[in-house]
Amino acid sequence: MVKTIKEYWFGILLCTLSAIFLVFVAIVAAAPHDDLKMRGFAPCTFQMAYDLNLYSTQSDIAGVLGSIAESYVCYAAVMGEGVKLWLNGKQPTPWANYFFEPETLKVPEEMSEPFSEELLKANRLDDEEEEQDIFENYQENQNRETDK
């Protein structure tokens, strides 16, 4: 066992770090990022969105990459805060501050209206007959060009 660890310590270290990083990314991906009370990862995500908008208009690649890195540092801080709150007995689990049912803005049914029939039919790609007509017209045009 010791000989195996001595021989493969670097591979074991890389696999362990990779596994930790993948679990971290999976947690961040699974948690909600939009909440009216700005709980959990929501502040980090909104800050990243603001920064990405700012840096992308300036074509600043380093700023974009820095913003993404800062957001992941913020996500890690939120996770660390959850562990701290859990150890102090302020929440039931270490992930209670970032895995929750988000509160989002709900539009009442009477304030929204359904899509019009014209808008629903506006997508020409859904019409199989028109697709067939387009294909037949294309074939006819190709045949005419080869006949010339």
Side-chain angles (χ1 to χ4, degrees), residues 23-61:
V23 168
F24 175 74
V25 169
I27 289 171
V28 170
H33 291 260
D34 185 23
D35 186 48
L36 285 177
K37 294 182 179 179
M38 296 299 278
R39 300 174 292 170
F41 296 144
C44 304
T45 303
F46 277 87
Q47 183 62 44
M48 180 178 64
Y50 175 79
D51 291 343
L52 288 177
N53 185 36
L54 177 70
Y55 293 128
S56 66
T57 58
Q58 299 171 354
S59 299
D60 184 7
I61 301 291

Side-chain angles (χ1 to χ4, degrees), residues 105-134:
L105 184 62
K106 304 273 191 228
V107 177
E109 189 69 32
E110 63 272 1
M111 290 184 69
S112 66
E113 61 183 52
F115 291 117
S116 69
E117 194 67 31
E118 292 174 354
L119 184 61
L120 292 173
K121 290 183 177 179
N123 187 356
R124 295 183 60 178
L125 295 176
D126 288 341
D127 191 6
E128 291 181 17
E129 290 177 12
E130 284 188 23
E131 282 181 23
Q132 188 64 30
D133 290 341
I134 291 170

Side-chain angles (χ1 to χ4, degrees), residues 12 20 25 31 74 87 97 109-110 145:
I12 293 169
I20 290 170
V25 169
C74 182
L87 290 174
N97 66 324
E109 189 69 32
E110 63 272 1
E145 288 179 10

Side-chain angles (χ1 to χ4, degrees), residues 82-104:
V83 171
K84 196 182 304 180
L85 290 172
W86 176 64
L87 290 174
N88 291 335
K90 295 182 180 176
Q91 66 185 30
T93 60
W95 53 84
N97 66 324
Y98 53 88
F99 276 127
F100 53 84
E101 187 66 34
E103 293 181 23
T104 56

Side-chain angles (χ1 to χ4, degrees), residues 60-71:
D60 184 7
I61 301 291
V64 169
L65 295 176
S67 173
I68 293 169
E70 286 175 15
S71 70

